[in-house]
Amino acid sequence: MKQIISTDDAPAAVGAYSQATMNGDILITAGQLPLTTDGELLDNEPVSRQTEQCLDNVTAILNSEGISLDDVLKTTVFLDNINDFDAFNEAYSAYFDEKPPARSAVEASAIPKGAAVEIEAIATTE
Ligand SMILES: C=C(N)C(=O)O
């Protein structure tokens, strides 16, 4: 059965979606924008800082269910500009230095709120 995951340690949704959902041992996050828990959008920060905020948000959601980035099976990354790939990748790599999850990274023509990056994750609680 679908379970809705909600935590005050990650930014609230900016639309009609849940921060994450679960079914059994699989947790799927919504795409995380570079928003702080106060709702501040870091759109004027470099893509590296925006990447960190997205991953901090993913981490907070996972932690609310007692799991961590080590339990992520797959991420999907949307970049506003694929030329940011190297800067994004360097920041991302610091969060996944060992056994990184599978990943897809693509350029999207636009990301909500004018963000440079959005990251979603699929994780297991097993
Ligand atoms: C930010 C999102 N994840 C959305 O609008 O779907």
Side-chain angles (χ1 to χ4, degrees):
M1 180 189 294
K2 183 170 82 175
Q3 187 187 342
I4 303 299
I5 306 304
S6 177
T7 176
D8 290 339
D9 294 331
V14 297
Y17 61 90
S18 300
Q19 290 171 320
T21 55
M22 280 186 74
N23 190 336
D25 63 359
I26 296 295
L27 184 153
I28 302 176
T29 77
Q32 293 302 302
L33 296 170
L35 283 166
T36 68
T37 50
D38 296 336
E40 182 191 358
L41 181 70
L42 305 183
D43 56 330
N44 288 323
E45 298 288 340
V47 70
S48 56
R49 176 70 192 98
Q50 295 194 40
T51 297
E52 291 168 358
Q53 189 63 47
C54 292
L55 290 172
D56 287 347
N57 295 342
V58 170
T59 298
I61 293 168
L62 299 176
N63 289 350
S64 77
E65 292 303 309
I67 60 175
S68 72
L69 290 178
D70 288 345
D71 302 300
V72 174
L73 302 173
K74 165 89 197 300
T75 63
T76 305
V77 178
F78 305 94
L79 291 166
D80 185 49
N81 183 343
I82 202 66
N83 293 327
D84 285 339
F85 182 79
D86 289 346
F88 145 76
N89 206 37
E90 187 174 342
Y92 181 97
S93 299
Y95 284 74
F96 293 110
D97 50 352
E98 283 185 23
K99 293 188 182 175
R103 184 181 87 187
S104 302
V106 297
E107 180 180 273
S109 64
I111 294 174
K113 306 289 183 188
V117 58
E118 177 176 350
I119 301 175
E120 62 187 32
I122 301 172
T124 177
T125 60
E126 194 174 81

